[in-house]
Amino acid sequence: MSQEQLNTEADNNESSAESGKLRILVVDDSATIRRSAETMLANEGCEVFTAENGFEALSKITRHQPDLIFVDIMMPRLDGYQTCALIKNNQTFRRRSSQSLIG
């Protein structure tokens, strides 16, 4: 992990702890579903990030270190199962995957 990634991770962890908000990543290829989920979760006081596909999700996970991830199963290019497998098998995400993923 680069120094920049370590600094970003530390900043994200500090900002989340300060805000007390649950950070949630919503991964879905449907813009309507992403917006709906984002609106509902934000109204409940969550900090919400969205990704259009599994590849974008991997980048957002690194950048934002979400506490919980909702992943659509049927997506083009990299489906939900593949996305979850990549997250679970990546050393960078491993420490959080048991908290963030079910399955």
Side-chain angles (χ1 to χ4, degrees):
M1 184 179 277
S2 72
Q3 186 61 42
E4 182 178 329
Q5 288 173 319
L6 290 172
N7 291 341
T8 300
E9 181 177 335
D11 292 344
N12 286 335
N13 289 337
E14 288 174 13
S15 66
S16 178
E18 291 170 5
S19 71
K21 291 183 177 183
L22 188 64
R23 288 176 296 183
I24 299 177
L25 175 62
V26 177
V27 186
D28 200 299
D29 57 324
S30 167
T32 302
I33 292 173
R34 286 194 313 274
R35 279 190 302 247
S36 297
E38 183 175 22
T39 300
M40 288 186 293
L41 292 166
N43 286 340
E44 294 299 320
C46 299
E47 186 175 0
V48 184
F49 307 97
T50 63
E52 188 173 332
N53 58 58
F55 293 111
E56 185 181 353
L58 297 175
S59 172
K60 298 271 178 118
I61 293 166
T62 301
R63 190 175 320 129
H64 300 291
Q65 296 289 309
D67 299 304
L68 180 67
I69 304 169
F70 290 101
V71 182
D72 180 21
I73 296 302
M74 297 188 63
M75 295 185 292
R77 297 181 58 214
L78 190 64
D79 69 27
Y81 294 116
Q82 294 166 324
T83 301
C84 288
L86 287 170
I87 294 166
K88 285 179 155 183
N89 292 317
N90 185 306
Q91 285 299 113
T92 305
F93 309 141
R94 184 177 296 277
R95 66 181 174 77
R96 296 187 63 87
S97 67
S98 62
Q99 299 169 356
S100 303
L101 296 172
I102 298 173

